[in-house]
Amino acid sequence: MSWRDFPEPQLSRILQVALTQFVEHGYDATSVRTIAKEVGVTVPALYYHFENKQAMLTALLSHTMDILESHVAEALDDAGEDPRDRFCAVVEAIVLHLTHHRDLAFLDREIRSLTPENRREYAARRAVVAEALIECVERGCASGEFATPLPRESGRAILGMCLAITTWFRMDGPLTASDVARQYVTIALDTVRATPEAEAGGAH
């Protein structure tokens, strides 16, 4: 399977319902009782699988990071050593994840609802993806393909820009996931002040 392919996440019935409730109503406004009712089990039965609501949120966030990290790693392997190709591949992988798995990615905003320990663990995993993107920018600057004087800041800005996709993208909208990926690769190249030769690469 290509890193550009994003099949439906394999979630248990409980996690699927929890995800839907968290996205539609927010973590704080969702009760364990509501999740149990939607699943069709009792609250004690739900607690047999998950200790509490926090455990459901951390399981979902862990699942989305498993997906994102693996696709970014595969995209980098496929891109080879060229800095521009690596940069475009990482941006494309991130955007495809955010569009194909919008609901899972949308939960990133619930980081505020995590316990301090869980927040640190999730932030550390998110930083791995951010550093992969920043490293691509720094390599591009070192090779002369990118001219931004602020590689780290540019990388963080691009990631933040991409994360905002979850607030507006819809699979039934006018743009496909691939359309959005191509557009955001172009925007990202502009952000790092790519040379005309680098700009011509774009998303694959």
Side-chain angles (χ1 to χ4, degrees), residues 34-98:
T34 297
I35 296 173
K37 181 180 179 181
E38 290 295 320
V39 174
V41 299
T42 63
V43 171
L46 195 68
Y47 283 139
Y48 176 79
H49 297 280
F50 293 95
E51 182 180 2
N52 49 36
K53 187 172 65 169
Q54 178 79 188
M56 297 178 212
L57 178 59
T58 56
L60 287 166
L61 288 172
S62 178
H63 188 67
T64 193
M65 290 309 303
D66 287 343
I67 295 170
L68 180 56
E69 287 175 355
S70 66
H71 280 260
V72 166
E74 290 169 14
L76 285 170
D77 286 343
D78 188 49
E81 294 303 316
D82 181 77
R84 172 184 54 78
D85 289 345
R86 292 174 68 82
F87 174 75
C88 292
V90 171
V91 173
E92 185 180 357
I94 291 171
V95 174
L96 288 176
H97 168 68
L98 294 170

Side-chain angles (χ1 to χ4, degrees), residues 21-165:
Q21 293 295 318
F22 293 159
V23 170
E24 290 184 0
H25 307 291
Y27 177 83
D28 290 336
T30 299
S31 68
V32 172
R33 187 173 299 279
T34 297
I35 296 173
K37 181 180 179 181
E38 290 295 320
V39 174
V41 299
T42 63
V43 171
L46 195 68
Y47 283 139
Y48 176 79
H49 297 280
F50 293 95
E51 182 180 2
N52 49 36
K53 187 172 65 169
Q54 178 79 188
M56 297 178 212
L57 178 59
T58 56
L60 287 166
L61 288 172
S62 178
H63 188 67
T64 193
M65 290 309 303
D66 287 343
I67 295 170
L68 180 56
E69 287 175 355
S70 66
H71 280 260
V72 166
E74 290 169 14
L76 285 170
D77 286 343
D78 188 49
E81 294 303 316
D82 181 77
R84 172 184 54 78
D85 289 345
R86 292 174 68 82
F87 174 75
C88 292
V90 171
V91 173
E92 185 180 357
I94 291 171
V95 174
L96 288 176
H97 168 68
L98 294 170
T99 48
H100 283 285
H101 295 163
R102 189 186 72 89
D103 284 356
L104 275 174
F106 188 81
L107 288 184
D108 182 78
R109 66 186 51 211
E110 291 292 357
I111 188 172
R112 64 184 184 277
S113 300
L114 293 171
T115 63
E117 180 180 359
N118 288 334
R119 189 182 305 120
R120 283 193 296 271
E121 291 180 2
Y122 176 69
R125 296 192 66 180
R126 189 170 61 172
V128 171
V129 175
E131 284 300 318
L133 178 59
I134 290 169
E135 181 185 7
C136 290
V137 181
E138 291 176 334
R139 289 177 62 166
C141 290
S143 70
E145 294 189 76
F146 304 155
T148 175
L150 302 168
R152 295 193 66 82
E153 291 78 1
S154 295
R156 285 195 289 266
I158 291 167
L159 184 58
M161 171 186 71
C162 291
L163 288 172
I165 291 171

